Amino acid sequence: MKLLDFLKGERKKSASVAKERLQIIVAHQRGQRDQPDYMPMLERELLEVIRRYVKVDQDAINISLDRDDDCSVLELNVTLPRS
Amino acid sequence: MAKIIVVTSGKGGVGKTTSAAAIATGLALRGNKTVVIDFDVGLRNLDLIMGCERRVVYDLVNVIQGDAGINQAMIRDKRVENLHILPASQTRDKDALTSEGVEKILDALVEDFDYIVCDSPAGIERGAQLAMYFADEAVVVTNPEVSSVRDSDRILGLLSSKTRRAEQNRDPIKEHLLITRYNPSRVDGGDMLNLDDICEILAINLIGLIPESEAVLRASNQGIPVTHDQKSDAGQAYTDTVSRLLGETVPLRFHEYQKKGLLSRVFGGGRR
């Protein structure tokens, strides 16, 4: 069996696939961990307002909240289409 | 003043109750006055693992509701002096466990004991939240498997926000990682996450590593916490874990695959 595996060429070990998948999902989870509960709603409503004026895609908006020691910065990135 | 340690995980079936029983037993064997509390209201099992299921008269909810005193409800362990068990209720009433009630019980115990071990239910509902809320330290039980690691990360998020220490801006809960059901042979074969990867992903301090072991089922069959089986790898690994909880430095064991001899290595494809 081992010899067969060797001849077929080593496939990627399942544990390293697991590690990669976990690193991505955990990073995503942590990004959401500290954000206030209103963030998804805020994101949706901001997008609505912007869309009243400019035609942008759902995924053209990127919102994040960064916290420093004494203040928080709400960062909003919108990719506008070339007009 | 007792230290309150919660044994938690998010995911079910990873070995929380086994670990809570083994750690509480180990702490008591080292001379610490210890009580282990089952927070899994409706699905109590710690009594079975501790081997005292036939001696349960009153439970956690009885004490909260004032139907019994705390000393009436606590069961003295038959094997270890200084070890007590407070069983969970079998009631289906989810609201039976209240924050005030739990606080009152812990306040009463904190003066008399050295360690209070809280065995959390699976999930992130009320029982799990109350088990962790008052804790000073947390043992996060994780299997080398994707869903368990992800759920452990979720629990870490809750530990750092939804606990008394977090809400009162006190020193955060000390978080410890306990990896259970580790199979060095499968890790060596590349089909199981290795301990360094798990530590890297969860980024907390490793307190112990329990190898997958036949001794664990044998122990639960008999209602004798596996710490008593000092001939077994799992029993010794839990003893090591307890020593580390007590602040000692103990080298890690049982994490390396015992490699086969030269012949099987040559014909078995070698090390991967």
Side-chain angles (χ1 to χ4, degrees):
Chain A
M1 217 33 217
K2 294 259 165 74
L3 186 66
L4 209 66
D5 275 354
F6 180 73
L7 289 175
K8 280 192 292 190
E10 293 258 305
R11 70 196 153 83
K12 198 169 192 184
K13 293 283 177 285
S14 70
S16 59
V17 178
K19 185 186 179 185
E20 280 167 29
R21 293 174 62 215
L22 275 168
Q23 278 173 325
I24 293 165
I25 193 70
V26 164
H28 182 70
Q29 259 176 205
R30 289 195 182 157
Q32 293 186 326
R33 183 188 287 180
D34 301 321
Q35 76 177 24
D37 299 337
Y38 59 73
M39 283 292 276
M41 187 73 148
L42 177 65
E43 185 171 339
R44 238 187 338 257
E45 290 188 11
L46 280 171
L47 184 65
E48 259 172 47
V49 173
I50 292 168
R51 276 180 151 177
R52 267 184 232 154
Y53 301 92
V54 197
K55 212 178 152 204
V56 290
D57 286 338
Q58 190 81 33
D59 52 359
I61 183 167
N62 187 2
I63 182 168
S64 69
L65 191 65
D66 290 320
R67 244 169 280 186
D68 282 331
D69 286 341
D70 48 353
C71 70
S72 301
V73 177
L74 182 72
E75 195 180 301
L76 180 69
N77 280 303
V78 187
T79 315
L80 297 180
R82 218 182 281 270
S83 54
Chain B
M1 265 304 262
K3 231 179 220 171
I4 304 177
I5 301 177
V6 59
V7 178
T8 183
S9 72
K11 190 175 182 299
V14 297
K16 274 185 302 297
T17 300
T18 298
S19 298
I23 289 171
T25 301
L27 286 167
L29 284 169
R30 293 284 304 267
N32 298 288
K33 195 171 178 196
T34 305
V35 55
V36 54
I37 308 177
D38 190 350
F39 275 80
D40 204 346
V41 170
L43 291 170
R44 83 164 164 239
N45 276 317
L46 179 69
D47 54 336
L48 267 180
I49 302 300
M50 295 293 299
C52 63
E53 69 277 9
R54 295 177 60 186
R55 292 194 290 144
V56 175
V57 183
Y58 295 110
D59 57 53
L60 187 61
V61 170
N62 292 142
V63 181
I64 287 178
Q65 295 178 341
D67 300 329
I70 183 95
N71 289 313
Q72 285 175 289
M74 274 195 299
I75 303 167
R76 295 173 80 93
D77 189 76
K78 278 181 297 194
R79 298 178 187 87
V80 196
E81 214 187 337
N82 279 337
L83 180 58
H84 296 73
I85 301 114
L86 185 53
S89 159
Q90 285 289 47
T91 177
R92 285 190 293 175
D93 176 12
K94 277 188 180 167
D95 301 327
L97 211 57
T98 61
S99 180
E100 299 75 31
V102 172
E103 185 172 19
K104 208 174 70 188
I105 288 180
L106 292 176
D107 281 346
L109 295 172
V110 118
E111 297 302 325
D112 285 345
F113 284 85
D114 299 314
Y115 284 94
I116 300 172
V117 178
C118 303
D119 178 23
S120 171
I124 50 174
E125 300 294 313
R126 191 197 200 102
Q129 290 196 6
L130 282 175
M132 71 169 69
Y133 187 78
F134 299 98
D136 302 306
E137 300 192 18
V139 172
V140 179
V141 184
T142 306
N143 288 172
E145 181 269 326
V146 285
S147 48
S148 174
V149 176
R150 179 204 216 169
D151 289 358
S152 292
D153 182 70
R154 287 274 286 145
I155 286 295
L156 290 173
L158 295 180
L159 284 168
S160 62
S161 61
K162 300 272 193 288
T163 50
R164 180 164 68 174
R165 278 176 175 269
E167 286 175 4
Q168 294 180 350
N169 271 324
R170 287 158 61 197
D171 291 340
I173 290 183
K174 241 195 228 172
E175 300 157 341
H176 308 286
L177 174 63
L178 179 65
I179 300 176
T180 57
R181 295 202 166 153
Y182 195 73
N183 186 331
S185 144
R186 300 207 68 187
V187 171
D188 194 65
D191 277 333
M192 183 178 273
L193 285 163
N194 76 42
L195 72 107
D196 294 327
D197 291 344
I198 301 170
C199 290
E200 187 190 324
I201 291 163
L202 292 177
I204 55 170
N205 143 61
L206 182 70
I207 194 85
L209 178 130
I210 315 299
E212 190 161 53
S213 167
E214 292 174 3
V216 173
L217 181 58
R218 215 158 44 224
S220 77
N221 283 341
Q222 301 174 93
I224 306 172
V226 72
T227 320
H228 286 293
D229 185 358
Q230 278 302 309
K231 286 197 184 109
S232 72
D233 46 1
Q236 294 172 31
Y238 274 114
T239 301
D240 288 356
T241 303
V242 167
S243 301
R244 294 189 198 102
L245 272 174
L246 293 170
E248 294 160 24
T249 310
V250 184
L252 210 58
R253 294 193 275 174
F254 313 114
H255 60 295
E256 274 169 344
Y257 178 49
Q258 301 301 317
K259 291 189 188 65
K260 297 174 198 156
L262 180 68
L263 273 181
S264 51
R265 252 199 285 167
V266 169
F267 293 107
R271 201 181 159 194
R272 299 199 255 184

